[in-house]
Amino acid sequence: MKILMVCLGNICRSPLAHGILAHLVEEEGLDWTVESAGTGDWHVGQGPDRRSVSVAKKYGVDIAAQRARLFDYDFFDQYDHIFVMDESNYRDVTALARNEEERGKVKMFLLEGVVPDPYFDESLFEPVYHLVENRCRELLNELVDTTRTN
Ligand code: 4NP
């Protein structure tokens, strides 16, 4: 299973989703790939925002080695599931889909609502971390179920 987490800058939200889910996948001993990308190119090649690095470290997840990448339409071939953090990510990613199969790989990360962008609001990093962690735990179970029924 190959999973891609996508936000705007690939430095705040998707690195957390990437790092947390990868951590849980490793704990479960699953041979899955979890990666991330952004729809904007401003931070390509940079490590995650220090505030995301710091909140993740506080809860035992090391995301410091990640490097921001720009979402590329080739990723539709490379991943089974593409999870986006908000509606603008959804629009930007689906706009690059070449067919319904590719469009169908793109899903909102949360079942309800969006992961708020903490970039301009420092107080959001802690709540965003918990929101993302809770959903990653749930998502892991949902994805494990899909492998059982297929
Ligand atoms: P992210 O947050 O999409 O969660 O990585 C942002 C990071 C950078 C910018 C916007 C959002 N920016 O405008 O540079």
Side-chain angles (χ1 to χ4, degrees):
M1 176 104 61
K2 292 191 163 210
I3 299 149
L4 183 70
M5 300 295 187
V6 176
C7 64
L8 177 58
N10 192 206
I11 56 168
C12 296
R13 293 166 293 175
S14 58
L16 289 173
H18 167 177
I20 294 167
L21 187 63
H23 184 80
L24 296 172
V25 158
E26 195 181 330
E27 273 182 357
E28 292 299 315
L30 294 163
D31 184 23
W32 294 0
T33 299
V34 184
E35 286 167 340
S36 58
T39 58
D41 65 2
W42 313 284
H43 302 282
V44 165
Q46 296 175 12
D49 188 289
R50 61 182 165 73
R51 298 164 296 178
S52 281
V53 173
S54 143
V55 73
K57 188 174 176 191
K58 177 175 165 189
Y59 295 105
V61 177
D62 182 2
I63 64 168
Q66 292 184 25
R67 291 296 174 265
R69 302 186 301 164
L70 180 64
F71 182 86
D72 186 277
Y73 67 83
D74 280 349
F75 291 177
F76 286 114
D77 294 330
Q78 296 174 31
Y79 298 94
D80 302 302
H81 300 281
I82 297 169
F83 293 104
V84 298
M85 301 296 134
D86 64 31
E87 288 103 344
S88 74
N89 307 149
Y90 186 85
R91 281 193 298 273
D92 291 342
V93 173
T94 53
L96 297 171
R98 292 157 292 191
N99 54 51
E100 282 311 304
E101 190 201 340
E102 292 184 351
R103 188 178 300 271
K105 290 188 175 185
V106 188
K107 292 139 211 155
M108 293 294 284
F109 172 71
L110 295 181
L111 297 175
E112 268 181 52
V114 301
V115 181
D117 190 343
Y119 189 62
F120 294 108
D121 184 351
E122 186 124 356
S123 73
L124 288 177
F125 281 87
E126 183 83 24
V128 159
Y129 184 89
H130 295 290
L131 185 64
V132 171
E133 183 190 345
N134 289 338
R135 179 60 184 143
C136 281
R137 290 188 181 280
E138 194 178 58
L139 194 54
L140 178 70
N141 291 327
E142 290 174 14
L143 294 171
V144 165
D145 283 347
T146 67
T147 65
R148 286 211 183 98
T149 49
N150 285 344

